[in-house]
Amino acid sequence: MVSPKERIMAVTLVLFANQGYNSTGINQIISDANVAKASFYQHFKSKEDLCIAFLNARHTYWFNELNIFINNEEDIKSKVISSFDFLIYMNSKENFRGCSFLNILSEIPNDNVKILNAIQEHKKDLRNFFSSLINDENVSDHIYMLFESSIIESQLFKSNHLIEKSKIIINNLI
């Protein structure tokens, strides 16, 4: 049996992806998750706390999937290029949804430090992911920027074209 908290998180994943953070209300989450209001507030003090839990869950899921995806690659170049193939895989799986973290970033006010910190931590971990593979800071930062721009570009144009171009650049860069 799925717990109320798990139902809330599952519904939140779908609603935040389809409607965005600001357009999703707590009452809709409670209704769609089929939980009592008291049950919601037992697990989450606010929509902001739910968002943090969502971002943390998304972070864990996303990095687990990425690491599984590149796990069989043996050399650094193959791991990096495979990480871009992972974007193509995620675009197919999630219909070019883009980055959950950047999507929410575009919806929160500048003074929402709590959510901003969760987003920044995710991006720091992504940047560290590339720097752990590549010892050259300039090259790893360049790849990180290609990766981030590929996510945004593919979401915007519903295309993997820039991801494929980035793989060619990386092949020449590393």
Side-chain angles (χ1 to χ4, degrees), residues 55-73:
L55 291 173
N56 289 338
R58 184 72 182 162
H59 175 86
T60 300
Y61 165 78
W62 196 88
F63 271 102
N64 284 342
E65 291 288 302
L66 173 61
N67 285 313
I68 289 167
F69 198 88
I70 70 165
N71 193 39
N72 293 332
E73 302 299 333

Side-chain angles (χ1 to χ4, degrees), residues 8-9 13 47 60 66-69 75 80 86 88 97 102-103 108 111-113 116 126 128 137-138 145 159 170:
I8 292 166
M9 290 300 293
L13 177 74
K47 183 178 172 186
T60 300
L66 173 61
N67 285 313
I68 289 167
F69 198 88
D75 62 282
V80 172
F86 173 71
I88 294 170
R97 182 172 85 193
L102 295 180
N103 291 343
I108 62 168
D111 62 350
N112 192 325
V113 177
L116 179 62
L126 181 56
N128 289 335
E137 185 181 352
N138 288 329
M145 289 185 285
S159 166
I170 290 164

Side-chain angles (χ1 to χ4, degrees), residues 5-172:
K5 184 176 183 180
E6 291 170 324
R7 290 197 311 269
I8 292 166
M9 290 300 293
V11 164
T12 298
L13 177 74
V14 172
L15 292 177
F16 282 3
N18 294 332
Q19 298 175 185
Y21 174 70
N22 287 337
S23 296
T24 302
I26 289 176
N27 289 335
Q28 182 183 14
I29 293 168
I30 290 167
S31 174
D32 288 7
N34 195 26
V35 297
K37 193 174 259 192
S39 184
F40 176 89
Y41 285 107
Q42 176 184 355
H43 298 291
F44 307 100
K45 293 181 178 126
S46 65
K47 183 178 172 186
E48 181 184 56
D49 286 347
L50 173 62
C51 185
I52 298 297
F54 162 77
L55 291 173
N56 289 338
R58 184 72 182 162
H59 175 86
T60 300
Y61 165 78
W62 196 88
F63 271 102
N64 284 342
E65 291 288 302
L66 173 61
N67 285 313
I68 289 167
F69 198 88
I70 70 165
N71 193 39
N72 293 332
E73 302 299 333
E74 296 192 15
D75 62 282
I76 291 168
K77 185 186 275 190
S78 297
K79 284 184 185 297
V80 172
I81 289 174
S82 184
S83 69
F84 281 76
D85 288 330
F86 173 71
L87 290 180
I88 294 170
Y89 162 76
M90 290 299 284
N91 282 341
S92 173
K93 184 177 178 180
E94 297 183 344
N95 195 28
F96 294 93
R97 182 172 85 193
C99 174
S100 300
F101 298 84
L102 295 180
N103 291 343
I104 288 177
L105 177 65
S106 71
E107 295 191 69
I108 62 168
N110 291 337
D111 62 350
N112 192 325
V113 177
K114 199 171 182 182
I115 294 176
L116 179 62
N117 285 340
I119 295 168
Q120 288 173 337
E121 287 304 310
H122 174 75
K123 294 304 178 183
K124 284 179 193 172
D125 286 349
L126 181 56
R127 193 170 176 195
N128 289 335
F129 168 79
F130 288 114
S131 67
S132 73
L133 293 175
I134 301 160
N135 290 334
D136 184 322
E137 185 181 352
N138 288 329
V139 174
S140 69
D141 282 348
H142 192 143
I143 291 168
Y144 167 75
M145 289 185 285
L146 281 170
F147 195 86
E148 283 294 314
S149 60
S150 291
I151 293 171
I152 294 166
E153 183 85 1
S154 63
Q155 179 185 18
L156 179 62
F157 291 103
K158 307 288 187 240
S159 166
N160 292 317
H161 181 72
L162 187 64
I163 298 170
E164 295 294 350
K165 284 202 161 245
S166 294
K167 288 168 39 181
I168 293 167
I169 293 167
I170 290 164
N171 207 34
N172 294 322

